[in-house]
Amino acid sequence: MALLFSNATVLPMTSAEDAPRTFRGWVGIDANRLTLVTDSETEAAAFRTAHAGLREIDCRGKLLMPGLINTHCHAGMTLQRSYADDITLMEWLNDYIWPFESRQTPDEVALGMTLGIVEMLLGGVTSFVDMYYDEDRCVEVAERLGIRAVLGCNYFDSNIGEVFPQVERAVERAAAGSGRVRIAVAPHSAYTVSPENLVRGRELAERLDLGMMTHIAETRDEIRIVGERYGRTPVAHLDALGLLGPHMIGAHCVHVTDSDLATLVERGVTVSHNPQSNMKISSGVAPVEKMLRVGALVTVATDGTCSNNDLDMWEELRTAAFLQKSATGDPTALPAWEVLRMATANGARAMGYADGELGVLREGALADLIVVDLQKPHLQPIHNVASNLAYCGKASDVETVVVDGRIVVENRRIAGVDLPDLYARVGEAVRRITTQG
């Protein structure tokens, strides 16, 4: 069924200029593509005539924009939300997170993924990039809930023999699905995966024509460990092994040198900025303003729910912008419009989509969009739409979510999802994992 969103404030995110272009208009969807984006009542009437039986949704007082794109998270880790807080990163990993994960079953990872996707959809995230275990099991979860995803099969030296077959299975399952789910190879980091196994991951990705992702230069400990072992920065080490390129998403990139930045730009690596996670783990502040100035492709993301502790991209937008202003001493750093582009058009490029195909509202683009209710005290008055969204927006403002031309959230409800039952199953799983000896 065709859809027509009428009388909306439309924020298409198609302009690279500093000032956003909004207009009152209509957006029409046929199958999974946007086939009408207009301010013309005449063109809207022609769309109605051409699509008998369409569903029309009145958006007076509401804003239509591309869905948000979360370029780095560990959605299956929602079972560990608030499990281990206020401790150092290495203690957090070694004493809490990794032991917890060793006791999880694939079904429990899929359950955590379900909770994570539900949280993201209700907050207006239409696409996400994940990095975790048992992603072959999670293809079905993403397909069932209707979100767009790149699922990165995460491996260490210790589990590479288990994960590589999962990559093959995940590719097969994604190929049999809707086309919304893509698979990637995801070595954890340069300090937890040997050079030999990093190269094996690159070779697997090349053979299957997959993207890659990894954590890069997240902490000072990582810089020290990689430097002691290999005599290079993590960026230089990964580059020497041939891992860096347009196919790579590098999460964090907090502690990077000017030479590292030049390499990331030259290779076309996406930097996924995770400001709240970096703050919580006390990793430091990534030099995002400098990255953008030298031409890096920078996106924004939440990271996982035990290093953040939520998957709320609206909070991340506000934090990313404010943190750069504070860190640089420049109130003009990372303006609202730029941080919105990081979460939409830039995120689409990071996922491997062509310019204009995703992350924007333009005719011919994939139909991933959200309806934001502007009739909220914190969103009034509207002097600048971009500022209101980036600095005042909340996940609860999202009313309707469309992915691939299909409504997946309407009136803040996800069809087929019984939230109390989901919460009960999550609670049972956590009790089993945490009480197991």
Side-chain angles (χ1 to χ4, degrees):
M1 176 191 296
L3 296 171
L4 179 62
F5 294 87
S6 301
N7 306 305
T9 297
V10 181
L11 180 64
M13 298 303 301
T14 51
S15 171
E17 300 171 0
D18 291 336
R21 184 176 72 89
T22 61
F23 59 90
R24 174 183 171 273
W26 292 260
V27 173
I29 298 172
D30 189 358
N32 71 335
R33 297 277 174 174
L34 299 174
T35 54
L36 178 73
V37 180
T38 185
D39 61 358
S40 165
E41 292 192 31
T42 301
E43 291 180 2
F47 185 88
R48 291 189 193 94
T49 301
H51 297 82
L54 66 73
R55 181 179 175 191
E56 187 164 356
I57 299 173
D58 191 346
C59 293
R60 287 183 176 86
K62 298 167 186 177
L63 177 134
L64 215 63
M65 66 175 288
L68 301 179
I69 298 175
N70 185 351
T71 55
H72 180 67
C73 68
H74 313 283
M77 293 182 80
T78 51
L79 297 189
Q80 299 165 59
R81 191 195 314 268
S82 304
Y83 174 63
D85 287 333
D86 307 321
I87 53 180
T88 64
L89 177 62
M90 292 306 168
E91 180 185 359
W92 178 77
L93 287 171
N94 290 304
D95 297 344
Y96 292 90
I97 301 307
W98 289 338
F100 185 106
E101 290 175 338
S102 71
R103 296 191 292 268
Q104 287 184 122
T105 67
D107 283 345
E108 287 164 340
V109 172
L111 180 63
M113 173 69 80
T114 301
L115 181 61
I117 291 176
V118 165
E119 180 181 354
M120 285 189 281
L121 284 174
L122 289 173
V125 173
T126 53
S127 299
F128 76 108
V129 177
D130 199 60
M131 181 180 184
Y132 207 50
Y133 314 114
D134 299 304
E135 296 284 26
D136 56 329
R137 282 282 284 103
C138 294
V139 172
E140 180 276 329
V141 179
E143 289 280 9
R144 173 167 46 85
L145 293 173
I147 201 166
R148 194 179 302 278
V150 175
L151 303 181
C153 301
N154 184 35
Y155 73 90
F156 298 76
D157 286 335
S158 59
N159 69 348
I160 189 170
E162 175 186 348
V163 172
F164 275 22
Q166 292 178 3
V167 175
E168 304 265 7
R169 289 196 297 272
V171 168
E172 292 176 1
R173 292 173 183 177
S178 65
R180 290 188 303 270
V181 178
R182 299 178 178 182
I183 308 303
V185 178
H188 177 265
S189 67
Y191 72 96
T192 55
V193 181
S194 69
E196 295 78 14
N197 285 333
L198 287 170
V199 170
R200 288 179 64 191
R202 186 204 73 203
E203 292 171 345
L204 178 63
E206 290 172 349
R207 177 167 64 83
L208 298 177
D209 193 24
L210 306 178
M212 295 191 74
M213 65 189 73
T214 191
H215 300 98
I216 301 178
E218 180 179 4
T219 66
R220 293 179 181 85
D221 280 340
E222 178 184 343
I223 301 300
R224 176 184 56 79
I225 293 168
V226 174
E228 289 174 354
R229 289 179 185 171
Y230 310 114
R232 302 185 181 104
T233 68
V235 170
H237 178 60
L238 294 168
D239 190 42
L241 298 173
L243 268 74
L244 300 186
H247 59 280
M248 172 64 79
I249 298 175
H252 303 294
C253 297
V254 175
H255 303 284
V256 286
T257 66
D258 288 347
S259 177
D260 289 336
L261 284 182
T263 298
L264 294 172
V265 172
E266 183 178 351
R267 300 290 184 260
V269 175
T270 295
V271 174
S272 178
H273 178 43
N274 300 239
Q276 289 195 349
S277 173
N278 295 339
M279 291 166 64
K280 185 186 178 194
I281 301 298
S282 193
S283 296
V285 181
V288 170
E289 183 68 14
K290 180 186 288 188
M291 292 174 181
L292 293 169
R293 196 164 60 245
V294 299
L297 176 61
V298 186
T299 61
V300 67
T302 60
D303 208 350
T305 55
C306 55
S307 62
N308 183 327
N309 296 33
D310 60 34
L311 299 171
D312 187 337
M313 281 286 287
W314 299 96
E315 286 190 5
E316 219 67 40
L317 297 179
R318 176 185 172 107
T319 302
F322 286 7
L323 189 58
Q324 288 303 300
K325 299 175 193 303
S326 176
T328 62
D330 179 2
T332 70
L334 198 55
W337 178 242
E338 186 66 47
V339 79
L340 284 172
R341 283 184 59 80
M342 288 166 58
T344 53
N346 287 12
R349 287 175 57 196
M351 292 181 69
Y353 289 91
D355 281 345
E357 186 179 13
L358 185 70
V360 296
L361 301 185
R362 57 174 291 276
E363 292 178 5
L366 288 163
D368 290 14
L369 58 82
I370 59 177
V371 178
V372 178
D373 185 0
L374 298 177
Q375 305 306 301
K376 301 289 184 72
H378 58 274
L379 292 175
Q380 295 290 329
I382 302 174
H383 295 293
N384 182 298
V385 167
S387 292
N388 275 27
L389 293 170
Y391 301 153
C392 313
K394 303 182 187 305
S396 57
D397 300 332
V398 177
E399 182 179 273
T400 302
V401 177
V402 175
V403 182
D404 216 29
R406 175 173 164 262
I407 295 177
V408 293
V409 176
E410 187 167 16
N411 297 321
R412 298 201 53 74
R413 295 174 182 268
I414 302 176
V417 175
D418 182 335
L419 290 177
D421 176 69
L422 175 60
Y423 304 153
R425 288 187 288 125
V426 165
E428 290 172 5
V430 168
R431 281 190 292 276
R432 187 201 70 77
I433 293 166
T434 56
T435 57
Q436 182 179 335

